[in-house]
Amino acid sequence: MDNKSKNSLWSYLPITFLTALFCCVLWGSASPAIKIAYELFRIPPEDTASRLMLAGARFLLAGIMTIAFGSVISRKVLIPKRESLKYIGILSLLQTIGQYFFFFMSLAYISGVRGSIINASGNFLAIIIAVYIFRLEKLTVKKLVGCIVGFAGIVLILGGVRALVSGGSISFQGEGAMLMAALFYAFSSCCIKIFSKHENPVVLSGYQFMLGGLVLYIIGAAMGGQLVFWSSGCAYNLIYMGFISAGAYTLWGVLLKHNPVSRVSVFGFINPVMGVLLSALFLGENKEAFSITGMLALLLVAAGILIVNIEIKERK
């Protein structure tokens, strides 16, 4: 980090914290926003085609917003380099098409609270994939402990080891799809880390959102789906869902530019917390959110993310 970044307003701790908190509130509101969208657009759980169109419209809009925000911040129009097109294609396949196909499917069958906690498994899967597949980092004791603690929370919300073995309370459309979404997220996180060495991460995110969103929308339309705006609430909801990704990714990128990665990533533990609290607030899922199992699972997942990302200085 250069001196200019150190002297930036974005590197001032209260600003860093408040901005990171705002990003986490946005990401945490994704699950309740999507479930509310299903009601507003009157999309039943079995209507996969219309869900794909909704996801596609969201990310097409998010991509446009991301490039617009990034261009304003950079004071120039963000256009990808020709050699970056392959990176955008790979990311759109993993992060938008793959991840959100399963994410949108899952939330049609499970609660926002359950989805928010299970989705956090992507943080721990990303470490395993970065270590054993991409060889991007080494597995330290701290990361191992964080992953074990975090996965313990995931297992707990899924019903415990007995439920995993019997599979009685777990469905592919619900919990299984959310785990698949987390897996795609993990792979895309590693790819972004690699590709960002060659291209501006905001450019990568914005254009892969647009490409992935367009593909999802076309597939949904070809399958016979429909996206009917029954009220003005549908438009407001769609714009907000687009802003969730565009606003959070853009601001998070700005924080990473002006701060050490560890200083920003440590705030990631707030994501599942916000997802659970906002699901309780907007979806009325208080009983599940504040149950002993729900609270303990959330605590374990948040603690796992915190342990993995916290920076420990070695004694000399």
Side-chain angles (χ1 to χ4, degrees):
M1 187 170 62
D2 55 29
N3 290 328
K4 187 176 180 180
S5 293
K6 289 181 180 178
N7 296 327
S8 169
L9 179 68
W10 297 102
S11 64
Y12 183 51
L13 185 57
I15 299 298
T16 301
F17 170 72
L18 290 174
T19 305
L21 178 62
F22 179 66
C23 290
C24 291
V25 169
L26 286 177
W27 278 319
S29 68
S31 292
I34 291 171
K35 293 186 74 69
I36 290 172
Y38 289 156
E39 295 181 6
L40 292 173
F41 285 94
R42 303 179 189 178
I43 301 176
E46 65 276 7
D47 191 354
T48 301
S50 296
R51 286 204 307 275
L52 290 179
M53 289 185 69
L54 178 62
R58 172 196 172 181
F59 286 104
L60 186 57
L61 185 59
I64 295 172
M65 287 182 177
T66 300
I67 296 303
F69 295 160
S71 296
V72 170
I73 293 173
S74 302
R75 298 180 182 178
K76 64 178 182 179
V77 178
L78 297 180
I79 299 175
K81 294 178 285 191
R82 181 176 295 181
E83 56 268 29
S84 298
L85 296 180
K86 59 184 177 183
Y87 304 140
I88 291 170
I90 294 171
L91 284 176
S92 68
L93 181 62
L94 292 173
Q95 188 172 359
T96 299
I97 300 172
Q99 179 185 354
Y100 285 100
F101 169 81
F102 288 107
F103 194 89
F104 272 67
M105 176 195 291
S106 175
L107 288 176
Y109 294 93
I110 63 175
S111 67
V113 167
R114 199 171 177 86
S116 296
I117 296 176
I118 296 173
N119 187 51
S121 62
N123 293 277
F124 313 114
L125 291 172
I127 292 173
I128 295 173
I129 291 171
V131 170
Y132 293 107
I133 296 181
F134 290 99
R135 307 290 182 178
L136 295 174
E137 55 189 77
K138 293 182 179 180
L139 185 63
T140 63
V141 174
K142 178 173 68 71
K143 291 176 183 176
L144 178 60
V145 171
C147 287
I148 292 174
V149 172
F151 278 126
I154 304 299
V155 171
L156 184 60
I157 199 65
L158 288 173
V161 177
R162 183 177 297 179
L164 289 179
V165 174
S166 66
S169 61
I170 302 172
S171 67
F172 174 75
Q173 297 98 325
E175 293 82 1
M178 188 59 78
L179 287 171
M180 285 298 297
L183 183 62
F184 272 98
Y185 164 81
F187 273 101
S188 67
S189 295
C190 294
C191 287
I192 288 176
K193 189 172 184 178
I194 296 171
F195 299 159
S196 294
K197 297 176 182 177
H198 310 286
E199 180 61 275
N200 182 338
V202 175
V203 172
L204 291 174
S205 294
Y207 283 96
Q208 72 88 9
F209 280 152
M210 280 194 280
L211 176 59
L214 183 61
V215 171
L216 286 173
Y217 191 90
I218 292 174
I219 292 175
M223 290 172 61
Q226 58 178 352
L227 204 59
V228 181
F229 286 75
W230 298 98
S231 66
S232 58
C234 293
Y236 297 143
N237 175 274
L238 185 59
I239 292 171
Y240 177 72
M241 287 199 298
F243 179 71
I244 288 174
S245 298
Y249 274 103
T250 302
L251 289 173
W252 199 262
V254 171
L255 290 180
L256 289 174
K257 180 180 179 180
H258 295 282
N259 295 273
V261 175
S262 59
R263 190 185 193 191
V264 178
S265 60
V266 72
F267 293 115
F269 80 94
I270 304 175
N271 276 347
V273 175
M274 286 299 165
V276 169
L277 293 179
L278 293 175
S279 292
L281 178 63
F282 292 106
L283 302 177
E285 297 175 357
N286 305 64
K287 187 175 181 181
E288 184 174 19
F290 301 113
S291 66
I292 295 177
T293 299
M295 293 286 285
L296 184 56
L298 178 61
L299 180 62
L300 288 171
V301 166
I305 296 174
L306 191 61
I307 292 170
V308 163
N309 289 288
I310 197 168
E311 190 176 60
I312 299 176
K313 295 182 179 180
E314 296 182 359
R315 294 181 179 178
K316 294 183 178 180

